[in-house]
Amino acid sequence: MEAELEKSRRQKKIEELILTKKRVSLWGELRDDDISVVASALARSTTLKVLHLGGNGNGVGDAEVKLIADALQSNTSCELSTLYLNNNNIGPDGAKYLSEALCHSNYKLLTLWLNRNNIGDNGAKYLAEALCHSNCKLQELLLGNNNICDDGVKNLAEALCRSNCRLIILYVNNNNIGDAGAALFADMLRYDNRTLMELDLSGNPDIPPALRRKIDRLAEINSESINCTAVEVGRKKWAEYGPTVDELYGFAGHSVIDLMTAFAVKTSHAHAIPSYEYEVGRKKR
């Protein structure tokens, strides 16, 4: 009886946190069917922006991810922008459920951390499909330690070449990526992508150091170009385009430079400001 009362108190506290707080961390604190309580609260939450469900005992697997994904899709007032799911038991099916949710119009997620799971190449493929979807708003995706190989990289690199992709940061460190996969990323950055500012390939020992340095430099050039474009566009075209930034990126309350940078990512990505590339001195690749 005491165990049941403790469980009830714990689950009531979880529900209260998710329904009233903006940031909630439940690192290693979940038990039994607590995830169903989390999902139920998420379906009703209108304030939560950051949720940390890292592992170390939480045991979030594919079935639990489906509950979370379904809850977030059903909530038309959901404000969750950051979801941490590191150190869990999420496989390809869990990545598929998250991918489907990312394509839903109710889903406002900007940051997704999936480090130290086991989504593999199939999971990477599902997430790559989501990145191409017009409803997907994701800007930061961390996939370190997920047994991703060159086949998974192929799908991610192709997604990053698409005009709908808004990703700014991608971590695929400590996987099984070789020089073939790394070369795909290099070509993507050199010829097709102008928005990715950070790409982490560390911990993939089969990638030649020279190729890794080339990729780092190409991402750095993107970052320099975007920041330079942000200031120039902010100065010249803010009055014409600026009011759309809050709506598109939810940057309310951030600095003008933050807004300009978000705007530059959106507009350069959509090829709306190609005439400014020369003007702000985009470096040749």
Side-chain angles (χ1 to χ4, degrees):
M1 178 64 114
E2 182 143 344
E4 285 299 313
L5 285 173
E6 173 59 29
K7 176 181 176 180
S8 177
R9 283 194 293 267
R10 185 182 69 250
Q11 293 186 345
K12 185 175 180 180
K13 181 63 175 177
I14 290 171
E15 181 180 47
E16 179 185 352
L17 285 171
I18 290 175
L19 290 176
T20 61
K21 302 296 183 182
K22 290 185 178 181
R23 302 174 62 94
V24 173
S25 177
L26 297 172
W27 174 270
E29 295 181 6
L30 301 183
R31 304 289 184 272
D32 304 328
D33 57 351
D34 288 351
I35 284 291
S36 62
V37 176
V38 171
S40 175
L42 283 174
R44 293 173 285 140
S45 172
T46 60
T47 58
L48 188 66
K49 294 183 181 295
V50 178
L51 178 60
H52 195 314
L53 294 176
N56 192 29
N58 277 349
V60 177
D62 293 343
E64 290 77 19
V65 166
K66 188 176 191 308
L67 290 175
I68 293 167
D70 289 348
L72 292 172
Q73 288 181 74
S74 69
N75 186 350
T76 58
S77 301
C78 180
E79 292 297 323
L80 191 71
S81 62
T82 301
L83 179 59
Y84 297 116
L85 292 170
N86 293 346
N87 293 290
N88 280 299
N89 304 311
I90 301 168
D93 287 345
K96 183 179 181 181
Y97 300 140
L98 288 169
S99 174
E100 292 169 351
L102 287 166
C103 297
H104 197 279
S105 58
N106 287 345
Y107 218 68
K108 300 175 182 176
L109 210 63
L110 300 177
T111 298
L112 176 60
W113 285 23
L114 285 169
N115 294 323
R116 300 182 193 87
N117 283 284
N118 192 27
I119 70 167
D121 286 341
N122 285 336
K125 176 177 177 290
Y126 293 134
L127 291 170
E129 291 171 354
L131 292 175
C132 300
H133 198 281
S134 59
N135 283 336
C136 182
K137 303 170 182 64
L138 205 63
Q139 296 178 11
E140 181 176 345
L141 178 61
L142 271 61
L143 299 175
N145 297 86
N146 265 287
N147 292 316
I148 297 171
C149 302
D150 289 346
D151 285 346
V153 167
K154 180 177 183 293
N155 292 291
L156 289 169
E158 288 176 353
L160 286 160
C161 293
R162 299 286 294 273
S163 61
N164 284 339
C165 183
R166 304 180 185 181
L167 210 63
I168 298 172
I169 297 171
L170 174 63
Y171 277 35
V172 283
N173 54 296
N174 298 297
N175 281 290
N176 302 309
I177 300 167
D179 55 354
L184 291 171
F185 276 137
D187 287 344
M188 171 271 295
L189 285 167
R190 183 173 184 180
Y191 299 113
D192 298 295
N193 184 283
R194 296 294 182 270
T195 61
L196 195 68
M197 297 169 65
E198 187 174 347
L199 174 59
D200 188 347
L201 285 165
S202 62
N204 290 283
D206 292 336
I207 300 175
L211 181 54
R212 184 180 289 116
R213 287 194 297 270
K214 177 181 178 181
I215 291 169
D216 289 344
R217 180 55 187 149
L218 288 169
E220 183 183 350
I221 291 171
N222 262 4
S223 178
E224 291 170 356
S225 298
I226 288 169
N227 287 329
C228 190
T229 303
V231 175
E232 188 71 12
V233 170
R235 184 163 58 83
K236 292 193 172 186
K237 286 287 187 176
W238 184 247
E240 183 176 349
Y241 292 107
T244 64
V245 175
D246 271 349
E247 178 183 339
L248 289 170
Y249 284 89
F251 264 64
H254 286 244
S255 71
V256 171
I257 291 297
D258 284 336
L259 292 168
M260 291 178 182
T261 303
F263 170 66
V265 170
K266 168 66 173 67
T267 51
S268 63
H269 183 64
H271 308 293
I273 54 169
S275 61
Y276 290 123
E277 290 188 8
Y278 173 78
E279 202 170 322
V280 300
R282 183 186 292 278
K283 296 183 180 179
K284 298 296 183 184
R285 294 170 169 6

